[in-house]
Amino acid sequence: MLRKPKIDRFNENVLSRYQIYNSIFITLPFDEISNTGVLLPLFSELCEKGYDQNRNPSEIVERFFKKYYDKPSETERIDLLFRFIQYIERQVVLFDAIEDATFPVVHNMDGIGTLRNMREEAEAKNKVAELKTCLEQFNIRPVLTAHPTQFYPGSVLVIITDLADAIRKNDLNLIKKLLAQLGKTPFFKKEKPSPFDEAMSLIWYLEHVFYHSASQIYNYIQDNIYIDSDLDNQVINLGFWPGGDRDGNPFVTTDITLKVADRLRTTVLRNYYRDVRRLRRRISFKYVDKLILDLENNLYENIFLESSQSTASVDYTMDTLLKIREILIEKHQSLFVEEVNSLINKVKLFGFHFATLDIRQDSRVHHNVLSNIVEESLAMGLDIFPKDYLKLSDAQQIEALSRVVGKVNPSLIKDEMSRITLESIYAMKTIQQHNGELGCNRYIISNNGSVLNVMQAFAMIRMCDWEAPTVDVIPLFETVDDLEIAHKVMETLYSNKAYKEHLKRRGNKQTIMLGFSDGTKDGGYLMANWSIYKAKETLTAISRQFGIKVIFFDGRGGPPARGGGKTHQFYASLGPTIENEEVQLTIQGQTISSNFGTLDSCQYNMEQLISSGVVNNVFNDEHDRLNDEDRDTMNRLAAISYQSYIDFKNHPKFLPYLENMSTLKYYAKTNIGSRPSKRGGSDKLEFSALRAIPFVGSWSQLKQNVPGFYGVGIAIEEFVKNNEFEKVVSLYKNSTFFRTLLENSMMSLSKSYFKLTAYMQNDQEYGEFWKIIHNEYERSKAMILKVTGYSELMEDTRSMKASIEVRENIVLPLLTIQQYALKEIQLLKKEGKEVDAKRLEIFERMVTRSLFGNINASRNSA
């Protein structure tokens, strides 16, 4: 039987179900306004028609009340708009649940990019040996971060999971009950979560999703590719940032770091315990029954103990399982060996750490901390640093830092930040003692721009009674300028005797993180991506020259504007000039729930990541090798785009527009993350203080996804004007990397909707600025279609385009309400008299409440 096209599977299994269940949903009475669900479709229709007729949000809202209400009071109007927000938020949840439930139907779980497809291709091309060699070295590391783009509270995530399951089973009665529960469950968080709360939310995914999906993948590789031999490589490593990411988050304490590590350990023990209990129901034979009972009791006793009191160990657990397997094979005809093997594989994958807790801090903090430590240590009479250290040149300081070792007691340090920075390093040692080295063995330096930045962190680690630290020091190069000099920084480090010895102890491997979020904010879409690509090439070359295996860790985020988008395609596009023995990337916010939130989607997307590396190493006979002309074209496109973005960013209305016309200032009020929404304590908005997530998110709320396309159109048009357009076409045909960039940019363009804010073009202060953005949107759209030969955006991914369209239609009324509220706020503030504080508070709350559904509907924020 022929498999239907993906778009047909989407329409039949997602769209049609949504229409049916939504019709049930909008008739459920959640509150005293029984006709809210009836009025919402009418409001939605008015929104669509209104924008087509060039009406602004305020006119649409006024027209709705005039048409369907008989002189409503202000209170009635406000109440109904809030009820609309409530319904629309839950419509988004319903659509999420349906997509989750139908994921294995819409996506081909055995298609391109899956393990089965990979194995069959290797067999067909007689490359099974090459495939096995690759899998013995290749690893992926999804790193879950707490960056605040996840607007669903835990109670709602549980409903989504249960609703998806009910939809999968077509249990209409349960679906109705869950929709009713959804209607009454609050979405708004009254208090900001603590870093520990964030960690607990993400540990849920580790416990209920990754634990099962990752082991399924490993089992498949072991049983279907390695068959007669053991795979001696994890393939999948999980990373974790909540509780360890201190960059810009003053609420992450040493105590929280230790608590999170302990919870990771007890959670994986709990999962092992459940599996052992199930095994004990089956393995009731002579010689093995006592072994498995002892293991069960050992795990149970240690789940509830502090890690420092625990007697459980990875070695004991693994040794016991191996003994059980051996006895089953020798004495019991291998009965239930597969189940034992599955648990052995889980212990290989997750150890007693579950996921590696990374520590991250900003280089500027390190600089201040080290200066304080130098002064205080000298005052205490310690000879860790030269007396004139702070007056030395950078080169001399690097030389001095290379010799630094010692045992500084944090409790003796008076400066608070210096004390807690050292405490975080001692915490890493404690975690390694209880969870194993993989529990916490990576220290990441944000905003790294120099050798000195790395050596400052390296020295601080070594002065914590850790002369030969079992820690990888990971510089994070973020800005365009930092990326350009990254290879020079690493060349100096590779030549430094102390650091060279450290790398030798770490297996001559160096992990380097490259940031997309701030790179895009700093240099625009094309330049950020191209700068990272070039940095990877130069870093690969210099690392190979010194005999170092470099591993790249990408701060990709979810949306194309932050480096996300088609992740598999991006990694598969990297050629031989870029080291790719591992794929490491951050996953955050709603990208965790949308791409890794269910067993099916998690397994599918991790298989895609594994496949991307295998494609490069095994099947890619003709790698992306940019010829000189294509490389020159890419350089010029990036340079033109960069200059246009810098000019745009330097426009006098750039920051005022974001501050006064977008939702930027309301992100801090959503209580979705523990981190402050901007760096520093100044009340004045400064570009350098802007965090990437509120920055990108604010453009997304405006439906003007600037970070995902600005400068692309200008750059391509320049080639058209110079009669060199064929060079761009050549680059597009020859480079998977460039094709992926344009396809991801198309996603950002598809999620833009300028009719929503068209009224701004008549604004006396910001009208011309709006037109600049709109003109570049139209230009980028036209130029990308010209290059690709498409007649419409995302023509090659119709099911994804259809999903986006449904989501955008769902939230169009919500966006209208948000813009209406923003306009009312502007009017209140322009009246020139005393502002009506009560009305202002109501409309500001309306803007804040409308953020949730808009972001959740986007699933990757732009």
Side-chain angles (χ1 to χ4, degrees):
M1 181 176 174
L2 291 174
R3 189 176 178 87
K4 291 183 178 180
K6 194 172 182 179
I7 183 64
D8 292 344
R9 301 198 301 272
F10 173 84
N11 288 333
E12 291 175 12
N13 295 281
V14 179
L15 188 56
S16 60
R17 283 192 186 188
Y18 173 72
Q19 291 166 344
I20 292 167
Y21 294 139
N22 186 49
S23 65
I24 297 169
F25 174 69
I26 61 175
T27 60
L28 294 174
F30 297 135
D31 46 63
E32 65 275 10
I33 304 178
S34 58
N35 62 347
T36 307
V38 177
L39 289 170
L40 181 55
L42 300 174
F43 182 57
S44 297
E45 185 181 9
L46 264 185
C47 289
E48 288 183 42
K49 289 182 178 178
Y51 291 120
D52 286 340
Q53 294 165 358
N54 299 318
R55 290 196 173 94
N56 68 47
S58 296
E59 291 170 339
I60 290 169
V61 170
E62 294 301 329
R63 187 176 177 83
F64 168 78
F65 281 112
K66 187 175 181 180
K67 187 171 184 178
Y68 295 107
Y69 260 75
D70 182 23
K71 297 180 181 178
S73 67
E74 176 79 355
T75 301
E76 287 176 321
R77 289 163 59 104
I78 295 297
D79 282 350
L80 184 61
L81 292 177
F82 272 111
R83 299 299 176 189
F84 280 166
I85 292 171
Q86 179 192 29
Y87 266 71
I88 295 164
E89 284 175 338
R90 287 150 180 80
Q91 284 179 313
V92 173
V93 171
L94 173 59
F95 193 74
D96 281 349
I98 293 170
E99 285 208 313
D100 286 347
T102 57
F103 189 93
V105 179
V106 175
H107 295 79
N108 186 352
M109 300 297 286
D110 294 319
I112 294 172
T114 64
L115 288 175
R116 178 174 173 177
N117 176 264
M118 187 174 69
R119 176 179 63 85
E120 290 177 351
E121 186 176 354
E123 290 172 348
K125 294 182 176 179
N126 198 26
K127 288 193 171 186
V128 173
E130 290 95 325
L131 174 60
K132 290 171 79 169
T133 300
C134 175
L135 289 172
E136 284 163 10
Q137 300 172 343
F138 182 76
N139 289 282
I140 65 168
R141 185 190 292 258
V143 179
L144 308 187
T145 81
H147 290 345
T149 55
Q150 175 54 271
F151 281 71
Y152 290 140
S155 55
V156 174
L157 288 171
V158 171
I159 296 172
I160 293 176
T161 301
D162 294 343
L163 188 56
D165 188 52
I167 290 167
R168 205 175 287 116
K169 296 173 181 175
N170 206 26
D171 187 339
L172 190 58
N173 187 46
L174 181 56
I175 290 168
K176 288 181 71 173
K177 286 183 177 180
L178 290 169
L179 289 175
Q181 179 190 357
L182 187 64
K184 292 179 175 293
T185 301
F187 274 46
F188 191 77
K189 298 178 182 178
K190 293 181 180 179
E191 296 179 357
K192 289 175 76 70
S194 71
F196 187 72
D197 295 331
E198 292 172 329
M200 290 302 297
S201 296
L202 293 191
I203 287 173
W204 185 92
Y205 288 101
L206 292 178
E207 180 176 8
H208 297 284
V209 183
F210 282 91
Y211 180 79
H212 304 286
S213 295
S215 59
Q216 279 285 101
I217 291 171
Y218 197 90
N219 289 345
Y220 184 91
I221 294 172
Q222 180 65 72
D223 296 343
N224 294 277
I225 298 174
Y226 278 79
I227 307 173
D228 299 322
S229 59
D230 282 338
L231 171 60
D232 189 24
N233 181 35
Q234 282 183 262
V235 182
I236 299 170
N237 301 288
L238 299 178
F240 203 76
W241 274 17
D245 183 9
R246 295 166 181 271
D247 181 14
N249 193 337
F251 308 112
V252 177
T253 64
T254 304
D255 182 56
I256 283 177
T257 300
L258 292 170
K259 279 177 64 179
V260 169
D262 193 60
R263 186 54 66 96
L264 285 165
R265 179 185 160 280
T266 57
T267 302
V268 79
L269 289 182
R270 192 163 58 230
N271 277 19
Y272 292 156
Y273 174 73
R274 293 189 192 115
D275 284 350
V276 168
R277 277 182 62 84
R278 281 190 286 269
L279 265 178
R280 198 164 72 83
R281 292 169 64 92
R282 297 289 169 260
I283 301 177
S284 51
F285 322 134
K286 193 175 180 182
Y287 305 116
V288 289
D289 52 352
K290 186 173 186 311
L291 280 173
I292 198 156
L293 178 61
D294 288 346
L295 179 57
E296 179 189 333
N297 289 336
N298 180 265
L299 289 169
Y300 179 81
E301 289 169 3
N302 284 278
I303 285 170
F304 304 103
L305 293 175
E306 292 288 335
S307 54
S308 57
Q309 302 170 313
S310 175
T311 58
S313 72
V314 175
D315 289 342
Y316 168 75
T317 305
M318 183 63 85
D319 288 346
T320 304
L321 289 170
L322 291 172
K323 285 177 187 175
I324 290 169
R325 182 173 70 175
E326 185 180 350
I327 294 169
L328 289 177
I329 293 170
E330 289 182 358
K331 300 183 181 297
H332 300 290
Q333 294 77 47
S334 298
L335 198 56
F336 300 118
V337 160
E338 285 186 6
E339 288 82 351
V340 175
N341 279 335
S342 179
L343 185 49
I344 287 171
N345 289 340
K346 286 172 179 172
V347 177
K348 279 184 186 178
L349 283 173
F350 309 118
F352 271 26
H353 64 285
F354 214 161
T356 299
L357 183 62
D358 290 345
I359 305 296
R360 184 173 77 128
Q361 184 56 282
D362 193 288
S363 64
R364 292 164 292 194
V365 173
H366 289 154
H367 178 78
N368 293 333
V369 163
L370 194 73
S371 297
N372 281 313
I373 291 173
V374 169
E375 290 177 347
E376 291 196 39
S377 65
L378 289 173
M380 287 187 279
L382 302 177
D383 60 355
I384 298 173
F385 298 93
K387 292 181 180 179
D388 60 346
Y389 173 83
L390 295 176
K391 296 178 181 178
L392 298 176
S393 67
D394 284 1
Q396 290 170 322
Q397 286 190 357
I398 290 167
E399 182 60 32
L401 292 171
S402 301
R403 297 190 296 270
V404 167
V405 290
K407 186 178 180 181
V408 177
N409 185 345
S411 64
L412 300 179
I413 301 295
K414 297 174 185 176
D415 179 70
E416 184 182 13
M417 181 56 76
S418 301
R419 184 174 66 254
I420 62 178
T421 300
L422 293 180
E423 284 175 350
S424 70
I425 296 168
Y426 278 101
M428 295 179 78
K429 295 181 71 174
T430 302
I431 294 166
Q432 288 194 14
Q433 290 166 10
H434 303 313
N435 294 16
E437 186 193 312
L438 290 176
C440 189
N441 67 346
R442 290 154 48 105
Y443 196 105
I444 300 164
I445 309 159
S446 304
N447 271 296
N448 195 99
S450 69
V451 176
L452 187 60
N453 292 157
V454 177
M455 293 305 294
Q456 286 169 337
F458 181 56
M460 282 191 286
I461 293 169
R462 299 216 303 167
M463 72 175 70
C464 292
D465 195 25
W466 218 352
E467 187 173 346
T470 48
V471 172
D472 294 322
V473 181
I474 303 174
L476 165 51
F477 298 100
E478 299 186 61
T479 67
V480 172
D481 290 342
D482 289 345
L483 288 164
E484 283 184 0
I485 63 166
H487 65 289
K488 294 179 180 177
V489 170
M490 298 314 299
E491 180 178 13
T492 305
L493 284 169
Y494 293 155
S495 303
N496 180 280
K497 184 181 177 183
Y499 196 79
K500 188 193 296 185
E501 289 174 356
H502 168 69
L503 285 179
K504 189 175 181 181
R505 290 191 298 270
R506 303 300 294 161
N508 280 325
K509 287 189 174 183
Q510 171 68 56
T511 302
I512 298 173
M513 189 173 180
L514 304 166
F516 278 87
S517 301
D518 284 295
T520 307
K521 180 171 91 65
D522 175 57
Y525 179 70
L526 280 185
M527 180 57 88
N529 282 278
W530 179 234
S531 293
I532 288 169
Y533 187 96
K534 289 194 298 181
K536 283 184 176 181
E537 287 188 319
T538 55
L539 286 166
T540 297
I542 197 67
S543 298
R544 287 173 177 172
Q545 183 181 323
F546 280 84
I548 304 296
K549 179 70 71 174
V550 67
I551 297 162
F552 295 117
F553 175 22
D554 292 321
R556 291 186 63 81
R562 300 187 60 238
K566 297 179 179 180
T567 304
H568 167 266
Q569 195 166 320
F570 174 84
Y571 284 111
S573 72
L574 303 179
T577 57
I578 293 176
E579 204 73 71
N580 67 333
E581 194 170 277
E582 293 194 26
V583 168
Q584 299 190 6
L585 72 165
T586 55
I587 301 171
Q588 57 210 37
Q590 74 274 34
T591 308
I592 296 172
S593 56
S594 61
N595 287 4
F596 299 88
T598 67
L599 294 173
D600 290 322
S601 63
C602 184
Q603 182 170 338
Y604 179 84
N605 283 299
M606 281 200 291
E607 286 189 23
Q608 293 287 314
L609 285 175
I610 294 169
S611 170
S612 69
V614 171
V615 164
N616 254 330
N617 292 307
V618 179
F619 300 121
N620 234 351
D621 296 323
E622 296 185 13
H623 290 286
D624 258 18
R625 284 187 182 273
L626 293 175
N627 60 44
D628 290 344
E629 183 174 271
D630 286 340
R631 183 173 289 273
D632 179 65
T633 300
M634 190 66 234
N635 273 322
R636 288 171 58 195
L637 285 169
I640 297 165
S641 172
Y642 178 60
Q643 188 56 54
S644 68
Y645 180 77
I646 294 300
D647 292 343
F648 174 66
K649 195 171 67 172
N650 289 335
H651 193 288
K653 296 300 179 186
F654 182 86
L655 282 179
Y657 181 83
L658 273 178
E659 190 169 21
N660 298 308
M661 304 299 278
S662 82
T663 58
L664 182 66
K665 66 180 75 170
Y666 299 95
Y667 267 79
K669 300 179 182 182
T670 56
N671 292 331
I672 56 166
S674 65
R675 290 203 313 176
S677 60
K678 64 185 182 70
R679 296 180 176 90
S682 173
D683 291 332
K684 183 182 177 183
L685 181 62
E686 296 175 352
F687 186 80
S688 59
L690 265 179
R691 293 197 183 283
I693 289 169
F695 175 75
V696 171
S698 296
W699 291 112
S700 176
Q701 294 281 326
L702 282 169
K703 289 298 159 187
Q704 304 170 6
N705 292 309
V706 163
F709 69 78
Y710 199 93
V712 176
I714 290 172
I716 297 174
E717 189 181 63
E718 188 69 22
F719 276 75
V720 173
K721 289 177 179 176
N722 294 332
N723 294 319
E724 296 178 295
F725 177 66
E726 71 284 353
K727 291 183 178 180
V728 183
V729 174
S730 170
L731 176 64
Y732 179 76
K733 288 179 179 177
N734 296 339
S735 171
T736 314
F737 168 75
F738 185 60
R739 284 200 299 276
T740 305
L741 284 187
L742 292 195
E743 286 170 17
N744 283 339
S745 191
M746 277 194 273
M747 189 188 300
S748 291
L749 289 165
S750 295
K751 292 183 180 181
S752 297
Y753 186 68
F754 278 81
K755 289 181 180 180
L756 177 74
T757 56
Y759 71 90
M760 292 183 186
Q761 65 188 305
N762 299 317
D763 186 271
Q764 188 173 352
E765 186 172 358
Y766 298 109
E768 291 305 312
F769 189 74
W770 183 92
K771 289 175 184 176
I772 290 172
I773 301 168
H774 181 248
N775 288 342
E776 179 55 10
Y777 161 80
E778 293 289 356
R779 179 166 35 232
S780 294
K781 180 179 175 181
M783 289 296 104
I784 288 177
L785 291 178
K786 185 177 176 68
V787 172
T788 60
Y790 293 168
S791 57
E792 59 182 28
L793 295 173
M794 298 184 69
E795 188 178 291
D796 64 327
T797 48
R798 293 171 62 204
S799 62
M800 188 185 295
K801 180 181 174 69
S803 175
I804 290 171
E805 287 175 350
V806 174
R807 291 174 178 278
E808 296 300 312
N809 285 335
I810 292 172
V811 296
L812 185 60
L814 197 58
L815 292 162
T816 302
I817 292 169
Q818 183 184 88
Q819 285 296 318
Y820 164 72
L822 284 169
K823 281 175 65 66
E824 289 297 311
I825 291 168
Q826 290 163 12
L827 286 172
L828 282 168
K829 290 182 176 180
K830 282 181 180 177
E831 284 178 356
K833 54 186 179 182
E834 190 174 331
V835 175
D836 186 334
K838 188 176 180 182
R839 289 193 78 224
L840 183 64
E841 189 274 332
I842 287 171
F843 286 118
E844 286 187 336
R845 186 158 55 90
M846 191 177 287
V847 173
T848 305
R849 288 288 286 108
S850 63
L851 288 169
F852 295 79
N854 292 336
I855 285 289
N856 286 329
S858 292
R859 281 218 147 178
N860 66 10
S861 300

